[in-house]
Amino acid sequence: MLEVDLNVPDIQVSELVTQTCATFGKVTSVRVHRTPSAFALVEMTTRDQTNELAACYGGSTFGTCALIHLQQKTS
């Protein structure tokens, strides 16, 4: 699970997720969803990068996409 400030607009959440996930490689796209619970669908350039990302944040993978659950960041 990735902690971010969920009180900001989706575009800002997307930018924060992109910056965080870029440590694993090139991020191709990020789509933020808030219902039924907050998550980001992060597309990386390779499956290896996707697998590392998902392993770090406990997410699931679908090809080069990782589904990462988002949680409200605490102070």
Side-chain angles (χ1 to χ4, degrees), residues 3-18:
E3 288 189 350
V4 295
D5 183 359
L6 294 171
N7 295 317
V8 298
D10 286 355
I11 188 73
Q12 287 178 293
V13 174
S14 178
E15 289 171 1
L16 292 168
V17 171
T18 299

Side-chain angles (χ1 to χ4, degrees), residues 2 9 19 21 24 29 32 35-36 41 47-48 58-59 66 68 70 72:
L2 177 61
Q19 291 171 1
C21 295
F24 296 92
S29 68
V32 174
T35 57
L41 191 59
R47 285 185 180 192
D48 287 340
I68 306 296
L70 303 176
Q72 177 60 42

Side-chain angles (χ1 to χ4, degrees), residues 3-67:
E3 288 189 350
V4 295
D5 183 359
L6 294 171
N7 295 317
V8 298
D10 286 355
I11 188 73
Q12 287 178 293
V13 174
S14 178
E15 289 171 1
L16 292 168
V17 171
T18 299
Q19 291 171 1
T20 302
C21 295
T23 61
F24 296 92
K26 185 175 179 190
V27 177
T28 304
S29 68
V30 173
R31 286 171 275 179
V32 174
H33 301 269
R34 295 188 185 251
T35 57
S37 62
F39 69 91
L41 191 59
V42 182
E43 185 174 3
M44 303 296 286
T45 55
T46 69
R47 285 185 180 192
D48 287 340
Q49 294 168 352
T50 305
N51 290 336
E52 287 181 44
L53 174 64
C56 182
Y57 293 107
S60 304
T61 61
F62 309 94
T64 56
C65 292
L67 188 148

